[in-house]
Amino acid sequence: MKEKQQTIDRLTGDFIAYLKSINRSQSTIEGYSYSWGKLKAYMSTRNITVFSKDIVEEFLTFLFGEYSYQTLLPGQKRMINELLALGEFQDEGRIVRSFKIPPKVFDGSIGEYILDYIAYRKAAFNSAERTIISYHHHLHVFLSFLRTKGVDDIQKITQSVVYSFIESLDKNKLATKCIMAGMLKNFFTYLSDIKKIPNCLIIIPPQVNYKQSPRLPSTFTKDEISTLLHCVDRANPRGKRDYAILLLAVKLGMRSSDIMGLRFENILWDKNLIKFTQRKTGKDITLPLMPEIGNAIIDYFKYGRQESKEDFCFLQAVSPYSPMKYGEVGSLTQQHLARSGINLRGRKHGPHALRHSFASQLLDQKTPLPIISEAMGHSRTQSTMTYLRIDSDTLRQCALEVPSIPFSFYPKRGGNL
């Protein structure tokens, strides 16, 4: 789309009018205006009046240099989001998406090779969306490192550059190092296979000695789950939506991706069932539509969900009321757990912990493992066996007393063998 020619004052004025039209608060508008004021001052010193996306990028580089979004402070991230939203509004006339993380740019020949490789992984291995997102993230980190070293061509990537990159990663995050080393190894193998680099130049990343230790799943007790649900303010549209989402997680053990992707057609009201295909496993699953869950969903549909042509059950709580995106179910879960006052120390507090809690409650009810496996939607019973480790009461019943060794066991007095 060809960029419109607008002065910064005209564009921000139109944007503020738009924010008011979708009922954004005055504090939100003031936050946007503060960030835009910084940009205006920068443009004024350079006698620039016409807005462009390039001037935003130039200004961000002026402020933060070659920055990594993830390492910035919350206020800095918010400023970036509000400045990038200007370009989106200029193109579309509305806020189309949330700029929680700026779009990753894969520029130069190396960037093109990375994008080709990710497309190859998606087509050849039918990789899941989360896997593709992971490749985008990790390989973009590598590309950003190469930029700082002035490496702009595949042939300039040497073994020492790759070793230096791996060493630059956080030493306390061995899992990240291990994942990155594996991705780079696959990437360089791909380049060799398509003859972009000769076999003799294949880079072998350093081996990262990392062995994941099995961890007990984080769970919440029945009373804690009750506290969580009671803390949700169901008097407003967002609360009605969040309450229904949390019920699906704690009462049925649904994954966040399946909750996010639930459509009208998946709820069989006449049969009191929820039927869908799991995103993670591709397995069809049928779950009971309990009255408590059904009533919460109806309450949201009637009094909380905005009118939309989308057939997804749950929408974003702010305009333009698009389908929920990856990570939003996790965010709302963490927010409500934080407000509930539950002690979260030493426990994960995302939607998967609620799924673990669902399995824990089934164990407490002496539910057979195959039935738990079916309810969780696991493809293999072995996947469900990890939850046996959290059933401490049953494990105690399995403990055997160690009998004392009879004195006659020893051939001589004094215990000598």
Side-chain angles (χ1 to χ4, degrees):
M1 180 180 292
K2 186 176 180 180
E3 196 173 81
K4 303 173 184 177
Q5 293 290 316
Q6 288 178 290
T7 65
I8 183 67
D9 290 329
R10 174 64 182 274
L11 179 60
T12 55
D14 290 347
F15 203 156
I16 290 174
Y18 167 74
L19 291 174
K20 291 180 178 178
S21 72
I22 60 175
N23 299 318
R24 292 296 172 89
S25 67
Q26 183 60 32
S27 61
T28 297
I29 294 175
E30 289 174 357
Y32 274 96
S33 299
Y34 175 80
S35 298
W36 297 340
K38 296 285 187 181
L39 176 64
K40 288 180 181 180
Y42 176 81
M43 293 174 62
S44 177
T45 61
R46 286 157 177 76
N47 295 320
I48 300 173
T49 57
V50 177
F51 172 84
S52 69
K53 294 177 184 177
D54 290 340
I55 196 63
V56 172
E57 293 296 337
E58 180 184 316
F59 176 55
L60 293 177
T61 302
F62 169 77
L63 284 179
F64 308 117
E66 290 293 335
Y67 66 91
S68 171
Y69 182 86
Q70 287 75 14
T71 62
L72 297 178
L73 297 174
Q76 294 171 329
K77 292 180 180 179
R78 184 167 57 251
M79 175 180 287
I80 290 175
N81 295 342
E82 291 164 349
L83 291 175
L84 292 176
L86 274 173
E88 188 73 17
F89 178 76
Q90 185 185 53
D91 287 343
E92 304 293 340
R94 60 192 179 102
I95 301 176
V96 178
R97 56 185 171 174
S98 174
F99 283 97
K100 291 184 178 178
I101 297 180
K104 294 180 172 61
V105 178
F106 291 85
D107 52 2
S109 61
I110 300 178
E112 292 178 5
Y113 285 133
I114 290 176
L115 291 178
D116 289 344
Y117 171 63
I118 293 174
Y120 159 74
R121 293 285 309 187
K122 185 174 183 179
F125 299 96
N126 194 26
S127 300
E129 180 183 0
R130 290 181 64 178
T131 302
I132 296 301
I133 292 174
S134 179
Y135 270 96
H136 267 95
H137 169 72
H138 287 90
L139 293 180
H140 186 267
V141 172
F142 177 60
L143 178 62
S144 299
F145 176 84
L146 295 179
R147 288 181 192 142
T148 64
K149 299 299 181 181
V151 179
D152 56 2
D153 186 85
I154 287 291
Q155 304 295 333
K156 295 181 181 179
I157 302 177
T158 63
Q159 193 87 30
S160 61
V161 169
V162 175
Y163 270 64
S164 177
F165 167 67
I166 296 296
E167 285 301 313
S168 71
L169 300 176
D170 191 340
K171 295 180 179 180
N172 296 319
K173 296 182 178 179
L174 288 179
T176 300
K177 279 192 171 187
C178 185
I179 292 171
M180 189 70 80
M183 286 187 176
L184 291 179
K185 180 179 179 181
N186 293 337
F187 175 55
F188 291 124
T189 301
Y190 162 79
L191 292 175
S192 175
D193 290 343
I194 63 173
K195 310 302 181 184
K196 294 300 180 183
I197 59 174
N199 290 333
C200 61
L201 291 181
I202 294 181
I203 306 297
I204 306 298
Q207 183 176 357
V208 179
N209 295 321
Y210 169 74
K211 183 178 181 181
Q212 184 176 10
S213 301
R215 296 181 179 178
L216 289 176
S218 296
T219 61
F220 296 93
T221 65
K222 187 175 181 179
D223 289 342
E224 288 174 331
I225 292 296
S226 178
T227 299
L228 168 65
L229 294 175
H230 277 94
C231 85
V232 181
D233 182 8
R234 297 158 59 189
N236 59 74
R238 185 192 292 269
K240 294 179 186 297
R241 182 201 66 178
D242 293 357
Y243 183 73
I245 287 174
L246 292 173
L247 281 178
L248 290 171
V250 302
K251 300 293 185 181
L252 297 179
M254 287 180 61
R255 295 184 179 91
S256 59
S257 58
D258 294 326
I259 296 174
M260 178 185 69
L262 203 65
R263 298 175 183 267
F264 294 145
E265 64 188 34
N266 298 131
I267 304 180
L268 310 181
W269 296 100
D270 55 333
K271 299 179 180 179
N272 291 327
L273 296 173
I274 300 177
K275 188 174 182 179
F276 59 94
T277 302
Q278 294 181 116
R279 289 194 175 189
K280 181 176 181 179
T281 66
K283 179 182 178 181
D284 292 335
I285 185 172
T286 302
L287 301 172
L289 179 61
M290 302 173 181
E292 182 181 9
I293 298 175
N295 290 335
I297 294 175
I298 290 173
D299 185 41
Y300 169 61
F301 283 175
K302 291 180 66 175
Y303 305 112
R305 189 180 186 276
Q306 295 292 329
E307 291 186 9
S308 173
K309 295 181 181 179
E310 299 287 351
D311 63 347
F312 289 93
C313 293
F314 301 106
L315 303 178
Q316 293 177 334
V318 296
S319 179
Y321 308 110
S322 304
M324 298 184 71
K325 293 182 172 55
Y326 175 74
E328 291 189 56
V329 174
S331 296
L332 70 89
T333 301
Q334 292 174 2
Q335 289 169 8
H336 289 297
L337 278 170
R339 294 190 187 114
S340 70
I342 297 172
N343 183 5
L344 304 175
R345 187 172 184 178
R347 290 187 287 185
K348 294 187 176 181
H349 41 280
H352 220 60
L354 302 183
R355 177 172 163 83
H356 293 328
S357 302
F358 168 72
S360 177
Q361 291 181 20
L362 292 181
L363 283 171
D364 289 342
Q365 298 166 11
K366 309 301 180 186
T367 307
L369 192 63
I371 295 178
I372 298 177
S373 182
E374 187 65 27
M376 298 288 287
H378 287 155
S379 300
R380 302 179 304 160
T381 305
Q382 287 88 337
S383 301
T384 315
M385 293 184 69
T386 183
Y387 296 105
L388 294 176
R389 296 180 293 137
I390 62 178
D391 190 9
S392 55
D393 292 336
T394 302
L395 287 176
R396 289 193 187 97
Q397 297 173 18
C398 298
L400 300 176
E401 291 186 8
V402 179
S404 58
I405 300 175
F407 188 76
S408 60
F409 173 80
Y410 301 100
K412 293 193 299 182
R413 291 181 181 275
N416 295 322
L417 295 178

